[in-house]
Amino acid sequence: MTAHLEIRGLRISGPAGEVVRPLDLELRPAETVALIGESGSGKTLTAKSLIGLLPAGFRAEGTFRSGDQVVALDQPDAAWRPLRGRRVSLLLQDPFTSLSPVHRCGEQIGWTIDAIQGRLPRRERSRRIAERLDEVRLPARAAHAYPHELSGGMRQRVAIAAALASDPSLLIADEPTTALDASNQAEILDLLRALQDARAMSLLLISHDLGLVRGRSERVLVMCRGEVVERGTTAEVLSDPQHPYTRALIAADPALGAPGPARPVAAGGDREPLLAAEGIAKRFGDRPVLDDVSVQVTAGAVLGIVGESGSGKSTLARCIAGLEREDAGVVRFAGDVLSPGRRSRTPDQMQIVFQDPYSSLNPMMTIGAILREALATVGRPASEVGAILGQVGLPAEFASKRPAELSGGQRQRVAIARALAPRPRLLICDESVSALDVSVQAQVLDLLGRLRDELGLAILFISHDLAVVRRIADTVTVLWDGRVVEQGTCEQVLEAPEHEYTRLLVAAAARENTGAATRVATKGTP
Amino acid sequence: MTSPGPVGIVFGPTRLPVTVALSLGVVALALAAIALTPLVAADATRQDIMSSLLPPGADGHLLGTDELGRDILALTIAGTASALVGPICVALGSMILGVLLGTIAGYERGWLDTVIGRWTDLLLALPVLLAAIVVSGVFGGGYWATVALLILLFSPSDIRIVRAGVLEQSARPYIEAAQMLSLSRSRIMFRHILPNVSTLVITNAMLNVAFAIVAFSSLSFLGVGVPPGTPDWGRQLTEGRAIMLDNPAAVIVPALLIIVVACSVNLVGDWLGQRLTRSGRRA
Amino acid sequence: MLAVRVLGVLGILFVLSIVVFAMLHLAPGDLVKNLLGNRPSSPDAIAAIRARYHLDEPLPVQYLQWLGGALGGDFGESIRLQTPVVDAIADRLGVTLALTGLAFALALAVAIPLGVQSAVHAGGVVDRVASALGIVGLSAPTFAVGLLLLYVFAYYLPVFPVYGAGDGGLDTLHHLVLPAVTLALGLGAIVLKLTRAAMLRELDADYVTAARARGITDATTHRIALRNAAIPIVTGASLVLTFLVGGTVLAETTYALPGIGTLLQDSVLYKDLPVVQALTLLIAVVIAVIALLADLAYLLLDPRVRAKGVSA
């Protein structure tokens, strides 16, 4: 079969020089090609260059051939217009921002129809909109809904219907499921596959997640710092990666990698728990967020708290830390009852590492000043800044830098150093690795594991990501809608879940890495 | 509700450094003119009916004279102090009030926030110029009473801006991290939050100088705020309006000066805001 | 939600009326003398004034009596004009409404398309010119601009009249052109700034990228973005109002138009307290009502707020 779409010599340069190195790409009809890379690898710019929508300051070179039509990638905007929609369409990551919030969903699909067909009679137009909605398995009445009235998964369906209403020969999907909950991700990907088969459309699937594309793409390209470092059939690349970067990606992705090393752990047992929260309840207005939640963790152990967004897991952490006042329940720390609020707390009890490394450090202070302040709270001298930076694997020179000069992973290390400075006995990690790229995620998880062992820290590890929790936690508590639905050792809960919700979560996570286990098994015997 | 919206957003695309350089020059010249006041004070107030309404250039009067025979050039230079000193004081005073009350309202919340919020709501319900016209018109009071009044009337928007900035910062994880370290409230407010809203505060103060220049000259144009007989651009315009045909310079020169100075201060303020925002992001 | 908002506005107006009333009684000088104005201060006249303003009653009672009158439309009598305050205001209202209406229409007609174009071609020639105009419009005092326009277009090139509001109809329109342009410059600058900033933000949004990627025309894309930008633009209406009140006083004074603005200025300088009091409250009410309308428009423009507004 002849190549349907060919991209030759695609090269993108930005204000700071070349960002994507020359790249060739072919897509056959009905074929899915996955482009994998971490943030900053140039994958999103590549996507935008293929539809002529590079941000100001960026320039693409190369050619794009579709059938017998050849276009230059740096052609002016006017020349792109007839291609957009008809030949190529783009599906963006976030369904919450990719639809106009003040227009009804049907209208937004209608715009695409108008652009292709010209103005149709009213009735005919509504009929076609309903057809498009039906294609993405939404009822016709969804046309009258505003985006905010729909769930994230439904919005992404509307966005798909709008993107495909012009019947393009190529759809570029840029991280189409990253913003969705685990249970929605598989459905959206399956829907895309079905739509693609029905119209023999090519799909360029862009993702940071190697596990996601297994079984869903024929071929895969792995991109690192603007360069394609590996390409081949998906099966080949995943089972026998050649490039060290691909190997690192596979090893670092907790969904694909092996579970954390077995560790002799005193999970609970008869030891006195360091922290015991009992019967915590909290309402925001008349909405209950936490309802009779009890958890405990002992020194030197990690308790994973798992749940989707809105399950109340962060609120629980904030109540334990005193940043939020619980309405009922008791927080016991080392045997003493802690009253709600921060007033009676001391910094050497517990510290938090937050999710977003970009806003958790004061941008106006140097790293040194941030750490000195934290050390001073327990009377430790400023001279220990270097030592504490070393503890989290950063050089002492970092003391004179400001947060903006650091990468996300480095900032998160500083945040951990600040949290360790008052020598707390409990560390709360609230989605602390969720905002990081997978390879950095792995490093930070290793660091946390090492600190737990060296310092005998108790860790309360909150995450929506079962794979990450599996790597580090000894015991797991599953929260759903503000209630504990399952509690036990990590193995019990994740291998043999009892509650239906936990099973759903585990199944959704497993769908993403089907086959990972067999590959690990075969790789184990070289 | 009727929140001020995206006022803080800087006007215009990339500012040509030439424009900013010119604006800085204008501001510097205007400040230098204040220093010249003692030299021209005598000329500015000397009335000479014999040489009234002279056209520009006549009899050694570069810009001519007004109805009372006062030299327009001297009068204009002497008016600079009145046009600039008050507005600068208004911006500074309102900034200090804004930082103090805004930080407390935004960080402490609770009843203090409610009281301060009601107070600013009340003052914001009245347009500054209207309130200033009525109060200084009915109560009289001199130049410094007007300064105090304008500080009072300008401060609600400063308080709101600072409060919003402080609120926004307070919700950030780095503030919660500071709370986890059990740092004192004043340390969190003034060491952690304030530096992060300082860009906002400084930019806003600069723009307030421009608005205060407009407010002051408007008041004196309407005949309130500045005592009669004081050399002042706004007053010159009120008086010049009647003699526009005899000596156009009496109107054109002060009118252009007010416009140019106000625009320059505004441009410098915008530029400063952009610079600070950019360096704040880099830092 | 709306009921709370209306109650809040009424509360502010009530407090304001007390403040303004108190001001009348705190104003320097003898109150009776102020209220008498130029009338001969015969004992009879003084007695009449004391009775008219209930000056022998305690202050709170005086306030309540004034409030009762005000609610019934009786704001007393103008000292300067010797006519009921309500009539004095009614006489002047037409000119002011015509002036502000004309200025508003001019400002919107120019500033919104200009703001959209500036944002679409950010950094281009149109944007630079618009930004320069915006800076002048925002920082130049209305009266200074007015006097310069007056000199150029009424004295130097006598195209427009110098004084007054004309004899009605086209003549009035002719008289109002310069004042309206003067006022529209400041108004337009604010609207331009709001429009440009809002459009820039919206054009950068994902849904615009998504729309362009679907082959939707630029014209349609800009229409979609402007519809979204309408929300912050309307929210900025309070800024426009604040400027409009001061600007109207200045524009009317500069061009000697017999409107509400000049009435206020004359009454302030003459210490015509009943008129000042009535006008201050009238303007506060107008501002409150327009702010309320802006909130309602906000509700109409944003389906998300609409959903919340109904459920709350």
Side-chain angles (χ1 to χ4, degrees), chain A residues 290-310:
Chain A
L290 289 174
D291 183 14
D292 191 24
V293 173
S294 303
V295 293
Q296 48 177 269
V297 58
T298 48
V302 178
L303 166 64
I305 297 184
V306 176
E308 292 188 296
S309 55

PDB file of all heavy atoms in Angstrom, chain A residues 290-310:
ATOM      1  N   LEU A 290     -15.145  14.433  53.942  1.00  0.00           N
ATOM      2  CA  LEU A 290     -14.582  13.274  54.636  1.00  0.00           C
ATOM      3  C   LEU A 290     -15.628  12.780  55.616  1.00  0.00           C
ATOM      4  O   LEU A 290     -16.292  13.570  56.279  1.00  0.00           O
ATOM      5  CB  LEU A 290     -13.319  13.659  55.410  1.00  0.00           C
ATOM      6  CG  LEU A 290     -12.068  13.981  54.593  1.00  0.00           C
ATOM      7  CD1 LEU A 290     -10.973  14.470  55.527  1.00  0.00           C
ATOM      8  CD2 LEU A 290     -11.616  12.771  53.807  1.00  0.00           C
ATOM      9  N   ASP A 291     -15.781  11.477  55.688  1.00  0.00           N
ATOM     10  CA  ASP A 291     -16.796  10.922  56.560  1.00  0.00           C
ATOM     11  C   ASP A 291     -16.197   9.735  57.317  1.00  0.00           C
ATOM     12  O   ASP A 291     -15.957   8.689  56.728  1.00  0.00           O
ATOM     13  CB  ASP A 291     -18.002  10.491  55.699  1.00  0.00           C
ATOM     14  CG  ASP A 291     -19.131   9.963  56.572  1.00  0.00           C
ATOM     15  OD1 ASP A 291     -19.069  10.178  57.800  1.00  0.00           O
ATOM     16  OD2 ASP A 291     -20.051   9.347  56.008  1.00  0.00           O
ATOM     17  N   ASP A 292     -15.909   9.948  58.604  1.00  0.00           N
ATOM     18  CA  ASP A 292     -15.440   8.883  59.471  1.00  0.00           C
ATOM     19  C   ASP A 292     -14.238   8.135  58.875  1.00  0.00           C
ATOM     20  O   ASP A 292     -14.285   6.937  58.655  1.00  0.00           O
ATOM     21  CB  ASP A 292     -16.601   7.895  59.739  1.00  0.00           C
ATOM     22  CG  ASP A 292     -16.232   6.923  60.856  1.00  0.00           C
ATOM     23  OD1 ASP A 292     -15.356   7.284  61.672  1.00  0.00           O
ATOM     24  OD2 ASP A 292     -16.804   5.822  60.887  1.00  0.00           O
ATOM     25  N   VAL A 293     -13.176   8.879  58.617  1.00  0.00           N
ATOM     26  CA  VAL A 293     -11.983   8.272  58.028  1.00  0.00           C
ATOM     27  C   VAL A 293     -10.942   8.028  59.118  1.00  0.00           C
ATOM     28  O   VAL A 293     -10.637   8.935  59.895  1.00  0.00           O
ATOM     29  CB  VAL A 293     -11.381   9.189  56.941  1.00  0.00           C
ATOM     30  CG1 VAL A 293     -10.060   8.633  56.454  1.00  0.00           C
ATOM     31  CG2 VAL A 293     -12.352   9.347  55.794  1.00  0.00           C
ATOM     32  N   SER A 294     -10.426   6.810  59.199  1.00  0.00           N
ATOM     33  CA  SER A 294      -9.369   6.496  60.155  1.00  0.00           C
ATOM     34  C   SER A 294      -8.179   5.897  59.418  1.00  0.00           C
ATOM     35  O   SER A 294      -8.351   5.000  58.592  1.00  0.00           O
ATOM     36  CB  SER A 294      -9.861   5.488  61.198  1.00  0.00           C
ATOM     37  OG  SER A 294     -11.005   6.002  61.850  1.00  0.00           O
ATOM     38  N   VAL A 295      -6.985   6.418  59.710  1.00  0.00           N
ATOM     39  CA  VAL A 295      -5.767   5.836  59.136  1.00  0.00           C
ATOM     40  C   VAL A 295      -4.687   5.845  60.201  1.00  0.00           C
ATOM     41  O   VAL A 295      -4.754   6.617  61.157  1.00  0.00           O
ATOM     42  CB  VAL A 295      -5.254   6.652  57.916  1.00  0.00           C
ATOM     43  CG1 VAL A 295      -6.218   6.573  56.757  1.00  0.00           C
ATOM     44  CG2 VAL A 295      -4.997   8.099  58.297  1.00  0.00           C
ATOM     45  N   GLN A 296      -3.692   4.974  60.058  1.00  0.00           N
ATOM     46  CA  GLN A 296      -2.538   5.071  60.947  1.00  0.00           C
ATOM     47  C   GLN A 296      -1.275   4.634  60.224  1.00  0.00           C
ATOM     48  O   GLN A 296      -1.313   3.890  59.249  1.00  0.00           O
ATOM     49  CB  GLN A 296      -2.732   4.283  62.220  1.00  0.00           C
ATOM     50  CG  GLN A 296      -3.229   2.861  62.014  1.00  0.00           C
ATOM     51  CD  GLN A 296      -3.296   2.169  63.360  1.00  0.00           C
ATOM     52  OE1 GLN A 296      -2.346   1.545  63.784  1.00  0.00           O
ATOM     53  NE2 GLN A 296      -4.421   2.298  64.039  1.00  0.00           N
ATOM     54  N   VAL A 297      -0.135   5.175  60.706  1.00  0.00           N
ATOM     55  CA  VAL A 297       1.139   4.831  60.094  1.00  0.00           C
ATOM     56  C   VAL A 297       2.205   4.776  61.181  1.00  0.00           C
ATOM     57  O   VAL A 297       2.180   5.569  62.125  1.00  0.00           O
ATOM     58  CB  VAL A 297       1.498   5.824  58.964  1.00  0.00           C
ATOM     59  CG1 VAL A 297       1.562   7.243  59.477  1.00  0.00           C
ATOM     60  CG2 VAL A 297       2.796   5.450  58.281  1.00  0.00           C
ATOM     61  N   THR A 298       3.101   3.794  61.071  1.00  0.00           N
ATOM     62  CA  THR A 298       4.171   3.638  62.062  1.00  0.00           C
ATOM     63  C   THR A 298       5.472   4.213  61.519  1.00  0.00           C
ATOM     64  O   THR A 298       5.603   4.422  60.306  1.00  0.00           O
ATOM     65  CB  THR A 298       4.411   2.151  62.379  1.00  0.00           C
ATOM     66  OG1 THR A 298       4.494   1.449  61.150  1.00  0.00           O
ATOM     67  CG2 THR A 298       3.302   1.583  63.214  1.00  0.00           C
ATOM     68  N   ALA A 299       6.408   4.458  62.395  1.00  0.00           N
ATOM     69  CA  ALA A 299       7.711   4.994  61.990  1.00  0.00           C
ATOM     70  C   ALA A 299       8.380   4.004  61.036  1.00  0.00           C
ATOM     71  O   ALA A 299       8.280   2.790  61.219  1.00  0.00           O
ATOM     72  CB  ALA A 299       8.582   5.219  63.212  1.00  0.00           C
ATOM     73  N   GLY A 300       9.022   4.536  59.991  1.00  0.00           N
ATOM     74  CA  GLY A 300       9.741   3.681  59.054  1.00  0.00           C
ATOM     75  C   GLY A 300       8.842   2.996  58.042  1.00  0.00           C
ATOM     76  O   GLY A 300       9.296   2.145  57.290  1.00  0.00           O
ATOM     77  N   ALA A 301       7.560   3.358  58.011  1.00  0.00           N
ATOM     78  CA  ALA A 301       6.648   2.722  57.057  1.00  0.00           C
ATOM     79  C   ALA A 301       5.989   3.771  56.181  1.00  0.00           C
ATOM     80  O   ALA A 301       5.966   4.951  56.511  1.00  0.00           O
ATOM     81  CB  ALA A 301       5.586   1.928  57.813  1.00  0.00           C
ATOM     82  N   VAL A 302       5.463   3.322  55.036  1.00  0.00           N
ATOM     83  CA  VAL A 302       4.790   4.233  54.120  1.00  0.00           C
ATOM     84  C   VAL A 302       3.342   3.805  53.970  1.00  0.00           C
ATOM     85  O   VAL A 302       3.059   2.660  53.627  1.00  0.00           O
ATOM     86  CB  VAL A 302       5.459   4.222  52.728  1.00  0.00           C
ATOM     87  CG1 VAL A 302       4.703   5.145  51.773  1.00  0.00           C
ATOM     88  CG2 VAL A 302       6.918   4.640  52.831  1.00  0.00           C
ATOM     89  N   LEU A 303       2.427   4.747  54.263  1.00  0.00           N
ATOM     90  CA  LEU A 303       1.017   4.477  54.052  1.00  0.00           C
ATOM     91  C   LEU A 303       0.600   5.186  52.762  1.00  0.00           C
ATOM     92  O   LEU A 303       0.755   6.401  52.638  1.00  0.00           O
ATOM     93  CB  LEU A 303       0.188   5.004  55.228  1.00  0.00           C
ATOM     94  CG  LEU A 303      -1.324   5.084  54.987  1.00  0.00           C
ATOM     95  CD1 LEU A 303      -1.926   3.712  54.777  1.00  0.00           C
ATOM     96  CD2 LEU A 303      -2.019   5.795  56.143  1.00  0.00           C
ATOM     97  N   GLY A 304       0.105   4.432  51.800  1.00  0.00           N
ATOM     98  CA  GLY A 304      -0.392   5.032  50.570  1.00  0.00           C
ATOM     99  C   GLY A 304      -1.865   5.337  50.707  1.00  0.00           C
ATOM    100  O   GLY A 304      -2.628   4.510  51.204  1.00  0.00           O
ATOM    101  N   ILE A 305      -2.272   6.552  50.329  1.00  0.00           N
ATOM    102  CA  ILE A 305      -3.697   6.869  50.318  1.00  0.00           C
ATOM    103  C   ILE A 305      -4.088   7.096  48.869  1.00  0.00           C
ATOM    104  O   ILE A 305      -3.528   7.961  48.197  1.00  0.00           O
ATOM    105  CB  ILE A 305      -4.011   8.090  51.197  1.00  0.00           C
ATOM    106  CG1 ILE A 305      -3.653   7.741  52.639  1.00  0.00           C
ATOM    107  CG2 ILE A 305      -5.475   8.478  51.082  1.00  0.00           C
ATOM    108  CD1 ILE A 305      -3.991   8.806  53.624  1.00  0.00           C
ATOM    109  N   VAL A 306      -5.028   6.296  48.401  1.00  0.00           N
ATOM    110  CA  VAL A 306      -5.333   6.250  46.979  1.00  0.00           C
ATOM    111  C   VAL A 306      -6.764   6.690  46.748  1.00  0.00           C
ATOM    112  O   VAL A 306      -7.641   6.398  47.552  1.00  0.00           O
ATOM    113  CB  VAL A 306      -5.156   4.796  46.475  1.00  0.00           C
ATOM    114  CG1 VAL A 306      -5.560   4.684  45.030  1.00  0.00           C
ATOM    115  CG2 VAL A 306      -3.725   4.363  46.658  1.00  0.00           C
ATOM    116  N   GLY A 307      -6.997   7.383  45.650  1.00  0.00           N
ATOM    117  CA  GLY A 307      -8.356   7.763  45.286  1.00  0.00           C
ATOM    118  C   GLY A 307      -8.304   8.713  44.111  1.00  0.00           C
ATOM    119  O   GLY A 307      -7.255   9.294  43.831  1.00  0.00           O
ATOM    120  N   GLU A 308      -9.425   8.859  43.409  1.00  0.00           N
ATOM    121  CA  GLU A 308      -9.435   9.779  42.279  1.00  0.00           C
ATOM    122  C   GLU A 308      -9.631  11.198  42.794  1.00  0.00           C
ATOM    123  O   GLU A 308      -9.866  11.409  43.991  1.00  0.00           O
ATOM    124  CB  GLU A 308     -10.562   9.379  41.311  1.00  0.00           C
ATOM    125  CG  GLU A 308     -10.257   8.049  40.634  1.00  0.00           C
ATOM    126  CD  GLU A 308     -11.252   7.733  39.529  1.00  0.00           C
ATOM    127  OE1 GLU A 308     -12.439   7.556  39.824  1.00  0.00           O
ATOM    128  OE2 GLU A 308     -10.820   7.665  38.376  1.00  0.00           O
ATOM    129  N   SER A 309      -9.569  12.179  41.884  1.00  0.00           N
ATOM    130  CA  SER A 309      -9.732  13.559  42.343  1.00  0.00           C
ATOM    131  C   SER A 309     -11.135  13.706  42.927  1.00  0.00           C
ATOM    132  O   SER A 309     -12.088  13.150  42.408  1.00  0.00           O
ATOM    133  CB  SER A 309      -9.522  14.525  41.176  1.00  0.00           C
ATOM    134  OG  SER A 309     -10.372  14.198  40.116  1.00  0.00           O
ATOM    135  N   GLY A 310     -11.215  14.433  44.051  1.00  0.00           N
ATOM    136  CA  GLY A 310     -12.510  14.604  44.687  1.00  0.00           C
ATOM    137  C   GLY A 310     -12.820  13.545  45.728  1.00  0.00           C
ATOM    138  O   GLY A 310     -13.868  13.567  46.356  1.00  0.00           O
TER     139      GLY A 310
END
